Amino acid sequence: MDTYSKLDSDAILSTLFPPTDKTKNTSSDSGISVHLHPSCSCRLFYQDKENPVFLSFLPEESKMFAETLIQNGINIFMITVNPYNPKKGQPTITALMSSLSKILEKIKECMADNKLTGKLFVNAKSIGSAFALELASNFPDEFKGVILESSVCDTIPFLEAAGVEKDNLGFSEDEGFNNLKKIEKIKLPTMFLHGSRDTLVAPALAEKLQASSGARTKQFHLVPGADHWSVAEAAGDLYYQTIKIFVDSVCGINTWRQRRRKFRKS
């Protein structure tokens, strides 16, 4: 599989997967470690085994994000790609994309092992949207819905805005992430969250991606004052409330009846 070989240059990979500050809000001391692939890390956070489950591709670990989702009744597999190591030439887009089917199978096995029975959603932030859309377009029957934050539209404008020099961008969109074509195929209920001040993916490009979505049920939320990385912070509690309402609606969950059932169990 060499579809993504044009993205596997040092210049692009070092920009997409830069070194991270492991002391910043990480989850390395909590959750359940799940081995999916040598190029990424994954931790499972769950509470009620019947709650919906997010398969989330995030640029960096966030214990706060995971714990707040849990408090809102959503379990999460938090997947982050390891920083790019030029000496080893890893990770690469090609290797990760070609491994997504195996990653999904391992997620399903882990759900079964931990007796998680909730519906599975694919969720992503920024560059993670490329992996989320690849999965959802190829395995739609495995997911109940899609939630995208600061998602990538056209590949080259995103990489240019991220700082990749034009000399390293001599390829077409068909040789890039091709997110527009992928999202056209996805009929699953889809939610978009985007910052009004995003300079990596302009709001107009986010709207273009939303307009191309093949979903009959879709929502687009533009968060005032937020940039590419601060959507959740700018929206505050409303961010999680909006996601929760969307997930409950897609799953057909009546929260009043659910609370009543749990009360009776106790």
Side-chain angles (χ1 to χ4, degrees), residues 107-233:
I107 292 291
K108 291 166 61 180
E109 289 173 8
C110 188
M111 287 181 65
D113 290 344
N114 288 278
K115 296 181 173 57
L116 303 183
T117 59
K119 300 296 184 181
L120 186 62
F121 288 73
V122 64
N123 162 242
K125 180 176 181 178
S126 188
I127 184 60
S129 62
F131 305 116
L133 292 177
E134 179 80 5
L135 267 178
S137 62
N138 288 316
F139 306 98
D141 294 340
E142 301 290 350
F143 300 101
K144 195 69 176 178
V146 181
I147 299 97
L148 302 173
E149 178 187 333
S150 304
S151 49
V152 176
C153 183
D154 298 321
T155 306
I156 292 177
F158 171 72
L159 293 176
E160 282 185 324
V164 179
E165 295 183 0
K166 289 187 177 181
D167 291 347
N168 298 292
L169 299 174
F171 54 88
S172 67
E173 186 62 31
D174 286 340
E175 297 169 305
F177 295 123
N178 223 356
N179 282 350
L180 283 172
K181 286 190 177 179
K182 289 174 186 174
I183 208 165
E184 287 176 356
K185 297 165 52 180
I186 299 171
K187 310 301 180 184
L188 298 164
T190 304
M191 171 183 278
F192 300 84
L193 300 132
H194 211 84
S196 66
R197 296 185 178 179
D198 193 328
T199 56
L200 288 180
V201 182
L205 288 176
E207 291 173 354
K208 178 181 174 182
L209 191 68
Q210 182 271 150
S212 297
S213 168
R216 287 187 176 183
T217 301
K218 55 185 174 180
Q219 298 180 13
F220 183 86
H221 299 276
L222 191 65
V223 180
D227 62 20
H228 192 74
W229 305 111
S230 64
V231 173
E233 291 82 353

Side-chain angles (χ1 to χ4, degrees), residues 54-74:
F54 275 17
L55 192 172
S56 297
F57 292 93
L58 305 174
E60 62 181 9
E61 292 183 344
S62 174
K63 182 179 178 181
M64 182 177 68
F65 177 74
E67 290 182 342
T68 310
L69 276 184
I70 292 294
Q71 292 166 11
N72 282 272
I74 298 171

